[in-house]
Amino acid sequence: MNCYMKRAIELAEKGIGRVHPNPLVGAVIVKDGKIIGEGYHAKYGELHAERHALSRCIQSPVGADMYITLEPCCHYGKQPPCTEAIVEAGIKRVFVGSYDPNPLVSGKSSEILKNAGIEVTYEVMKEECDRLNPFFFYYMKHKLPYVICKYAMSADGKIACKNGSSKWVTGELSRKRVQETRKAVAAIMVGIGTVLADDPSLLCRCEDPVHPVRVVCDTHLRMPLDCEIVRSADLSQVMVMTCSDDSKKILQLTEKGVDVCKVAEKYGHTDIEEIMKLLAEKGLTSVLIEGGAKLHASVFKAGIVCEVQTYIAPKIVGGDGISPVGSLGLEDMKNACTLSAPKIELIGDDILVRFIL
């Protein structure tokens, strides 16, 4: 049983970066101990995993078992209900990994399938299947994006030298891992300070890339019209969050393909909580924060961080270097932001420490 669900998980991962705001899902159809069909949700708007698998069957699926990483949908969206296809195909048994938190689906699928005489078993490799979709689960529960705060720092906790030089803190393997994370998330966010200092593209640079939506927090609309992000607006959506009423600059950016969004000001900067609600309304289920100390401080103050990814390099920069998180105004250690127990991974000469809040 587990070998078939493992295969379904492998298939689901093929949709990384392409199915937002939908979840990653894989499906395998088994008959007489052999796989006769398999599929996955490859792209938002296209066939769901169950229908994809059924369309690829090499023999009749009547009487077969289906292994699905996530509870099948039972409502109409971009695609018709998968429960309908499962029943029509004559599937005998369905094995499910994760429960779907979507209220349109949760629990209802099982009832439909059982009423059709199909045996349904839940929680097959549930933990492994759950790991496919932390973004979707959080988004469904909180109606907000899953926020990852990522930074690379030296062994003494500095993200750059005193003059702002930061290329490169970590090694090539760590930088490659970051690109894989960019591919997985729906959006990437930086502050205008990072744009002015580094002129990044924020595009995904990896094999078979999927570019995230690029979001810039720019209180006073200082975004250069000739910066790399603006020049590449045709490759991936660019959203500039600002408090400015500079209609001329807004028009100039808009003409270059940039979406300028007016948001409220809070503590002298763009209101990060309002921004996250706006991104959620646009179906962006996850945001990777790759900003500087000020933006990192803002998201921690707002209490919206779901995960911290800290890459640590075997280097010493010194006390005049720049720290990863700006002032939080704390005067008592009991008020510090408390993280979870760390998950530690060696990546080349670097260490990746992940905290899931």
Side-chain angles (χ1 to χ4, degrees):
M1 180 186 297
N2 282 8
C3 66
Y4 300 129
M5 190 60 83
K6 285 180 180 177
R7 176 57 182 161
I9 291 171
E10 290 175 359
L11 290 165
E13 290 173 340
K14 292 178 179 290
I16 287 176
R18 293 183 166 86
V19 302
H20 306 299
N22 286 351
L24 296 168
V25 186
V28 171
I29 301 171
V30 180
K31 191 172 184 179
D32 299 325
K34 294 190 296 185
I35 294 176
I36 64 168
E38 57 182 33
Y40 63 99
H41 187 29
K43 188 177 181 181
Y44 177 68
E46 294 185 358
L47 288 178
H48 288 182
E50 299 91 330
R51 288 181 178 273
H52 189 214
L54 288 168
S55 73
R56 294 161 59 88
C57 280
I58 58 175
Q59 66 182 77
S60 171
V62 174
D65 297 337
M66 179 178 279
Y67 293 80
I68 319 168
T69 57
L70 182 72
E71 188 175 5
C73 69
C74 56
H75 65 288
Y76 282 87
K78 291 287 185 180
Q79 293 290 330
C82 288
T83 48
E84 189 178 277
I86 293 170
V87 172
E88 291 175 354
I91 296 294
K92 182 180 180 180
R93 298 188 299 177
V94 172
F95 298 90
V96 177
S98 298
Y99 294 100
D100 191 332
N102 187 339
L104 295 174
V105 178
S106 186
K108 298 180 178 68
S109 300
S110 176
E111 184 178 347
I112 292 170
L113 295 177
K114 288 178 180 178
N115 287 342
I118 298 172
E119 180 183 331
V120 183
T121 301
Y122 277 87
E123 299 188 356
V124 178
M125 295 186 67
K126 180 180 183 299
E127 185 176 341
E128 292 85 347
C129 290
D130 284 352
R131 283 200 290 266
L132 286 169
N133 290 301
F135 304 160
F136 176 73
F137 292 163
Y138 186 88
Y139 178 76
M140 275 290 152
K141 182 178 180 180
H142 300 282
K143 307 304 178 188
L144 288 170
Y146 184 99
V147 176
I148 301 171
C149 183
K150 187 279 302 181
Y151 51 83
M153 69 181 192
S154 61
D156 59 337
K158 304 301 177 183
I159 60 173
C161 298
K162 66 178 182 179
N163 65 350
S165 173
S166 61
K167 292 185 178 179
W168 295 103
V169 177
T170 52
E172 185 176 346
L173 291 178
S174 291
R175 299 198 296 274
K176 182 178 179 181
R177 174 66 68 85
V178 171
Q179 297 304 316
E180 292 170 358
T181 303
R182 285 188 182 183
K183 179 177 179 178
V185 297
I188 182 170
M189 177 184 289
V190 298
I192 186 61
T194 296
V195 175
L196 296 175
D198 301 335
D199 192 21
S201 72
L202 303 182
L203 295 172
C204 178
R205 299 184 300 275
C206 65
E207 185 177 345
D208 190 24
V210 181
H211 303 307
V213 173
R214 294 166 292 169
V215 183
V216 180
C217 296
D218 184 4
T219 306
H220 303 296
L221 206 56
R222 296 185 290 158
M223 190 81 167
L225 296 175
D226 62 346
C227 70
E228 188 60 35
I229 293 175
V230 173
R231 288 202 301 268
S232 59
D234 59 322
L235 297 179
S236 175
Q237 183 181 5
V238 178
M239 300 176 69
V240 174
M241 304 295 175
T242 187
C243 306
S244 174
D245 291 316
D246 186 342
S247 58
K248 180 180 177 181
K249 185 68 172 288
I250 291 172
L251 178 60
Q252 289 173 325
L253 287 168
T254 301
E255 288 176 340
K256 290 181 176 292
V258 175
D259 295 322
V260 181
C261 305
K262 180 73 181 296
V263 297
E265 186 174 323
K266 191 173 184 178
Y267 306 128
H269 302 287
T270 49
D271 186 339
I272 196 70
E273 293 174 87
E274 181 182 338
I275 290 171
M276 290 302 168
K277 290 177 183 177
L278 177 61
L279 297 181
E281 289 171 2
K282 294 183 178 295
L284 299 173
T285 59
S286 51
V287 179
L288 175 64
I289 308 290
E290 281 200 26
K294 288 182 180 179
L295 182 57
H296 293 166
S298 294
V299 294
F300 279 111
K301 282 181 180 178
I304 59 173
V305 178
C306 304
E307 179 176 338
V308 178
Q309 294 183 2
T310 303
Y311 290 84
I312 305 174
K315 298 175 182 178
I316 299 294
V317 173
D320 55 357
I322 300 173
S323 296
V325 182
S327 174
L328 297 178
L330 303 181
E331 296 182 355
D332 194 315
M333 187 58 70
K334 69 181 181 183
N335 296 323
C337 180
T338 303
L339 307 178
S340 66
K343 300 178 184 296
I344 301 173
E345 181 182 352
L346 290 177
I347 303 180
D349 293 333
D350 305 322
I351 302 172
L352 170 58
V353 184
R354 296 173 63 233
F355 304 92
I356 311 297
L357 279 68

